[in-house]
Amino acid sequence: MLKLKVPEMSCGHCAGTIEKAVKSVDPAARVIVDLGSSTVAVETGADENAICEVIRSAGYDNEKVAA
């Protein structure tokens, strides 16, 4: 499980954009968004760096945090 801190994520639209970006890399990924803590957990078989990069490409800085 990859857990990311996404400081700029603040609303449902942000969450949807991030989920769509992740699923463009891995359509089977499970994406859990927590707006309260500005975190995204991703259960995926895809490369973690690819997931981080696609979220950045969608306009959201992110950093890995301990799961």
Side-chain angles (χ1 to χ4, degrees), residues 35-53:
L35 290 173
S37 65
S38 298
T39 58
V40 177
V42 181
E43 191 173 305
T44 181
D47 179 69
E48 290 183 357
N49 291 326
I51 297 294
C52 293
E53 188 54 42

Side-chain angles (χ1 to χ4, degrees), residues 1-2 19 22-23 26-32 40-45:
M1 178 78 69
L2 171 63
E19 183 170 355
V22 170
K23 289 193 179 269
D26 178 4
R30 184 168 159 237
V31 182
I32 303 163
V40 177
V42 181
E43 191 173 305
T44 181

Side-chain angles (χ1 to χ4, degrees), residues 2-67:
L2 171 63
K3 189 169 183 182
L4 302 169
K5 181 77 171 171
V6 186
E8 295 92 11
M9 183 179 64
S10 61
C11 67
H13 181 265
C14 297
T17 299
I18 290 168
E19 183 170 355
K20 184 177 178 183
V22 170
K23 289 193 179 269
S24 74
V25 174
D26 178 4
R30 184 168 159 237
V31 182
I32 303 163
V33 175
D34 183 343
L35 290 173
S37 65
S38 298
T39 58
V40 177
V42 181
E43 191 173 305
T44 181
D47 179 69
E48 290 183 357
N49 291 326
I51 297 294
C52 293
E53 188 54 42
V54 77
I55 293 172
R56 280 188 201 95
S57 294
Y60 297 92
D61 287 333
N62 62 82
E63 63 182 57
K64 293 179 189 177
V65 295

